[in-house]
Amino acid sequence: MTETTQTVSPPNLHVALSPHLPGRELTTRRMMVDVLIGLSPVVLVSLFVFQWYAALQLALCVGACVATEFLLTRARGRKASIGDFSAVVTGIILALSLPGTSPIYGTILAGVVAIALGKWVFGGLGQNIFNPAMVGRAFIMMTFTFNYAAPGYVDAASTVDAITQATPLTAYKMDGVVTSPLWLLLGNTNGSLGETSAIACLLGGLYLVWRRTAAWQIPAGVLLSGIVFGYLGSFGETNALVASLLNGGDAGAILSTQWTLVHQVLGGALLFGAFFIATDPVSSPLTPKGRWIFGIGVGAMAMIIRQFSAYPEGVMFAVLLMNGVVPLINRWTIPRPLGGPVPVRK
């Protein structure tokens, strides 16, 4: 009798580092709901400031993203995954990154591109390398010219004459016009829907950090490097502000006439990007050390683009560029296994 020997290939297992602590409560749907709650202050402020312009952009972006998600999942023979709200979150973040007067066809195209090219071309949820909302925004930004003219509520007594024609960053970069920090805090400025109110971004962002839906290292790194590079870019003005505060001078006059570190941090999309864009769990690093590197890189590159390029805002480009090196960051920052490294046989 002949004995037949059958070679069985060992299974290809990918096991994460210990300890293995299962958590059934941490689901995609729960994380997306948390993000929606965190975005609610920003959405409410955008609706108040930009009124029906904001409502239209939100409806178009969410509708385009959800419809594209449904069609592509069905085309691949999968069950529609719109119930996890990931497409809704992408649509809202995309809408908040666009100006209120973005053309309708451009907004719809941005939603389609965000899901199709930013997400499904890589295989769907959890497989994308780049932030889908930023892919959609970058596509239409390179395709269409945005017009920021006069949507929504604008204070008639504003001393910033250019506020109805340009964002605070553009107004300063092109004409040297300085926007009041109070308006940057409250949101009474022009710009993309989600970048106008610093307070709304902070409230929603801190909620995400508290819920541990967003890794705190990323916004901390973005803000830390943003403050450092923002200070270097407004060295003289910020020092004059500090000296005025210490000596009891008129700090308000400096804030209303000079572009300081306060304007660098509160203006533009730095806070919105730090809490809601850079913290995307799929396109950001997995390790704590990697998250620090990623956040610091995003903040530094955003400020460098602001100060040394013709483009007044750099958060979108900074996030996309750092998304591209996330696989390397993960490889460079592999944590030490529990109990030490596996001994090597000699």
Side-chain angles (χ1 to χ4, degrees):
M1 182 176 181
T2 304
E3 182 178 355
T4 302
T5 304
Q6 184 178 4
T7 304
V8 180
S9 300
N12 187 16
L13 300 178
H14 297 275
V15 181
L17 296 172
S18 60
H20 308 289
L21 302 175
R24 296 181 179 178
E25 72 283 354
L26 188 61
T27 62
T28 300
R29 183 187 178 94
R30 198 224 77 176
M31 292 179 66
M32 294 301 107
V33 170
D34 277 345
V35 175
L36 291 174
I37 296 174
L39 285 168
S40 58
V42 185
V43 171
L44 291 175
V45 171
S46 71
L47 290 172
F48 174 75
V49 175
F50 297 95
Q51 301 172 10
W52 72 270
Y53 289 92
L56 179 62
Q57 295 297 330
L58 287 164
L60 291 174
C61 279
V62 172
C65 287
V66 171
T68 306
E69 177 87 3
F70 177 81
L71 292 175
L72 291 180
T73 51
R74 299 298 294 175
R76 294 179 66 115
R78 300 183 185 180
K79 182 180 179 181
S81 57
I82 58 176
D84 59 16
F85 297 128
S86 60
V88 176
V89 169
T90 298
I92 292 178
I93 292 178
L94 174 60
L96 293 175
S97 69
L98 296 175
T101 51
S102 174
I104 292 177
Y105 53 87
T107 300
I108 296 174
L109 181 60
V112 174
V113 169
I115 299 298
L117 298 185
K119 182 177 178 180
W120 275 99
V121 75
F122 297 101
L125 181 65
Q127 306 297 319
N128 51 286
I129 300 175
F130 301 99
N131 186 291
M134 293 300 97
V135 172
R137 187 185 193 278
F139 181 85
I140 66 163
M141 180 182 169
M142 301 302 176
T143 308
F144 304 103
T145 300
F146 287 155
N147 177 20
Y148 287 93
Y153 170 74
V154 176
D155 187 359
S158 170
T159 58
V160 184
D161 296 332
I163 198 171
T164 60
Q165 298 296 329
T167 69
L169 293 178
T170 303
Y172 173 73
K173 196 174 188 69
M174 300 301 178
D175 303 316
V177 177
V178 178
T179 306
S180 167
L182 179 61
W183 292 352
L184 297 177
L185 278 170
L186 299 179
N188 184 23
T189 63
N190 211 341
S192 298
L193 300 181
E195 70 179 33
T196 57
S197 174
I199 290 180
C201 293
L202 283 171
L203 288 175
L206 291 176
Y207 170 81
L208 294 184
V209 172
W210 173 68
R211 290 285 292 171
R212 297 185 179 180
T213 300
W216 66 270
Q217 296 95 338
I218 295 176
V222 172
L223 295 179
L224 178 63
S225 61
I227 289 172
V228 171
F229 281 85
Y231 173 72
L232 295 176
S234 56
F235 182 81
E237 296 85 351
T238 302
N239 285 346
L241 175 62
V242 174
S244 177
L245 292 172
L246 293 177
N247 298 326
D250 188 3
I254 296 177
L255 288 173
S256 61
T257 58
Q258 299 185 39
W259 194 262
T260 67
L261 176 61
V262 177
H263 301 83
Q264 295 273 25
V265 175
L266 298 182
L270 186 67
L271 291 175
F272 182 70
F275 287 106
F276 298 105
I277 301 175
T279 54
D280 175 30
V282 177
S283 57
S284 60
L286 301 174
T287 64
K289 186 185 296 184
R291 289 165 178 166
W292 274 110
I293 296 173
F294 179 80
I296 290 173
V298 169
M301 294 184 69
M303 286 298 179
I304 290 173
I305 293 172
R306 280 186 184 183
Q307 296 170 23
F308 296 102
S309 74
Y311 186 59
E313 179 60 90
V315 172
M316 177 191 69
F317 294 115
V319 170
L320 289 175
L321 289 171
M322 289 304 297
N323 285 159
V325 298
V326 165
L328 292 176
I329 294 176
N330 284 331
R331 182 178 292 273
W332 293 334
T333 58
I334 297 176
R336 183 184 181 90
L338 185 66
V342 178
V344 180
R345 293 182 179 179
K346 297 182 179 180

